[in-house]
Amino acid sequence: MFARTTTPWPLVALFAAGYLAPYLLPTTVGRLDSGLPLSATQAGAIGSALLLSSASAGFLFASRVERIGARTLARAGLALAVLGYGTAALTTCVPAVVAGALLGGFGSGTATTVAATGIAAQPDPHRTTTLGLLSVSALAGTVYLTVPRLGPAHGLPLAAIVLTAAAVWPLTSRLPARTAATRQARRSHDPLPHLRAGAVLATAMLFWSLAQNSLWGVSGRIGLAQARLTEATVGVVFAVALGAGLLGVVGAGALGPRLGRALPVGAGTVLIAGCIALSASATDLATFASGEIAWNTLYPIVLSYVIGLAASLDPRGRWAVLVGSASSLGTAAGPLTGSLLSAEAGFPAMGALLALGLLIVTLPMTAVALHTGGRPLLTGAVRHRSGTPAAVVAASTGTPADALPQAGVLEQPVVEIQIDAPATPAQGSYDTAGPRQAAATPGS
């Protein structure tokens, strides 16, 4: 479906545009709380509604990207993001802000769906994912450094998302449109592979994201109210944390699959749980910065391996989208959950509960990473011992590209089969050149 290029920059840019809204969640919720007549819980509820709308787009379009066409769907998502977030940024009417956030969130989710589907079809989905996380981390860090200097308006973070969506729009011309091949692929109705592993991973990712974004949604308030920092200082901490996340993403990209997926996912999540507990209990700059920086360094590393794991479950990208949408559901519930827990139990107790929840979901996520096989190799990369590309075999027999042999079963031993056939007459001695007589027999 997607053309395989060395670096799929349109997908990387689309990934960044779709993920920017969750990355800017703390400052978005904080600005809604301070700039509009809303309580902290109400502002968190708007953030949750935005991300819930984003998740619904993923569930709706997970299996429809081929049918609609990646270019068409990506452009529709970016247009909705510009319209929705733009409306929310330009008005102070709370119902209009809510409607704009919902519409913009749906657009972000649509863009993310197209990006996730395309990334799953890439030769190296983990590398493409790390490039996307690298881009969105750098962009979000720039916003955190810039927004506090531009004034107290609630719409500034939303305007940053609008500008990003508009800038990505021209790159969508390089995405594939709907073709006869995609219509044929739609008619095949291939069932979802690895159904049990995918369902377990999607469920675990819902709670994984819920725990982390419950803290992320109130991190700004922890810095301002509990650690007694200024908004500018909190913004610098977030920017440095996202910068550390850049280093983490670069490290994950350089490391690649050398450690497998189970160790980065399992051990990384355990370390994240400790960072969350530390950050939630912060009462000064040093503790707050340490927790946030360590957490944001580890988060994109683990996320890149989880996205790569989901992509390996289905080369058509459906599990990548469904797992991502389940993660968005957890992200959506995060701001409201964090607001309620912190209001009832306080920030330190909230952090302890969230850390415990992360430790629990570590087990099923690690189990899926341990017991799920590798992804199929790419069309044209599989060769028989004779050197014939498997893609040629698939094309000549009508075999779907998704059904190509997997990496562990490619080189089968060659078995010689004896065939009964009449022996070839022995070649006679050479004679002078010239036409044979009609009655002459071969070899005479």
Side-chain angles (χ1 to χ4, degrees):
M1 172 184 161
F2 287 83
R4 304 185 191 279
T5 59
T6 303
T7 302
W9 291 114
L11 294 176
V12 172
L14 200 62
F15 182 95
Y19 264 83
L20 185 58
Y23 266 68
L24 296 182
L25 192 63
T27 187
T28 300
V29 171
R31 288 294 178 114
L32 291 176
D33 180 17
S34 61
L36 296 176
L38 296 170
S39 67
T41 302
Q42 289 172 332
I46 294 177
S48 293
L50 183 157
L51 297 174
L52 182 62
S53 180
S54 178
S56 67
F59 286 116
L60 180 62
F61 295 122
S63 60
R64 293 178 171 87
V65 176
E66 293 177 346
R67 180 184 308 177
I68 300 172
R71 184 188 307 165
T72 301
L73 198 57
R75 288 179 171 176
L78 294 175
L80 290 177
V82 170
L83 179 61
Y85 294 129
T87 300
L90 294 174
T91 182
T92 57
C93 176
V94 173
V97 170
V98 173
L102 290 173
L103 188 62
F106 192 85
S108 293
T110 302
T112 303
T113 298
V114 178
T117 303
I119 288 172
Q122 293 299 308
D124 189 351
H126 182 262
R127 175 178 175 272
T128 308
T129 299
T130 55
L131 287 174
L133 290 171
L134 193 67
S135 301
V136 71
S137 297
L139 185 59
T142 302
V143 173
Y144 277 115
L145 285 175
T146 305
V147 164
R149 305 176 185 277
L150 298 179
H154 78 280
L156 290 175
L158 300 171
I161 306 174
V162 170
L163 293 176
T164 302
V168 170
W169 176 280
L171 295 177
T172 59
S173 61
R174 295 170 56 186
L175 295 175
R178 183 186 180 194
T179 63
T182 60
R183 288 193 292 270
Q184 179 65 31
R186 180 193 62 194
R187 288 193 289 267
S188 64
H189 295 294
D190 295 332
L192 272 172
H194 301 291
L195 189 58
R196 181 180 300 176
V200 170
L201 183 61
T203 303
M205 273 301 290
L206 189 155
F207 292 101
W208 189 86
S209 296
L210 172 65
Q212 304 206 51
N213 285 278
S214 293
L215 179 66
W216 187 236
V218 298
S219 287
R221 289 165 50 202
I222 293 175
L224 294 172
Q226 184 170 279
R228 301 186 182 280
L229 306 176
T230 64
E231 183 185 13
T233 303
V234 171
V236 170
V237 170
F238 286 159
V240 173
L242 292 172
L246 295 179
L247 298 178
V249 172
V250 171
L255 187 63
R258 291 182 179 85
L259 297 179
R261 295 191 181 101
L263 182 60
V265 170
T269 301
V270 171
L271 293 175
I272 286 174
C275 294
I276 286 179
L278 177 65
S279 182
S281 63
T283 57
D284 53 35
L285 174 60
T287 307
F288 179 73
S290 299
E292 292 290 328
I293 292 172
W295 174 30
N296 281 276
T297 301
L298 294 167
Y299 172 82
I301 296 176
V302 178
L303 180 62
S304 68
Y305 280 97
V306 172
I307 294 176
L309 175 60
S312 73
L313 298 179
D314 177 26
R316 288 181 60 187
R318 289 168 293 179
W319 273 125
V321 175
L322 292 173
V323 169
S325 297
S327 175
S328 295
L329 283 178
T331 303
L336 182 58
T337 302
S339 297
L340 292 175
L341 285 176
S342 60
E344 294 295 327
F347 292 123
M350 176 200 69
L353 290 173
L354 297 178
L356 178 61
L358 272 180
L359 294 177
I360 293 174
V361 301
T362 299
L363 298 177
M365 293 176 67
T366 306
V368 172
L370 282 172
H371 295 97
T372 302
R375 65 170 295 166
L377 293 184
L378 299 169
T379 304
V382 184
R383 291 182 178 269
H384 297 280
R385 288 185 184 271
S386 62
T388 305
V392 176
V393 178
S396 62
T397 60
T399 305
D402 294 351
L404 291 175
Q406 293 191 5
V409 294
L410 297 177
E411 298 290 346
Q412 298 295 335
V414 177
V415 179
E416 296 183 1
I417 302 176
Q418 300 294 333
I419 301 176
D420 294 330
T424 303
Q427 175 66 42
S429 60
Y430 289 100
D431 201 350
T432 58
R436 294 179 181 273
Q437 297 180 359
T441 60
S444 60

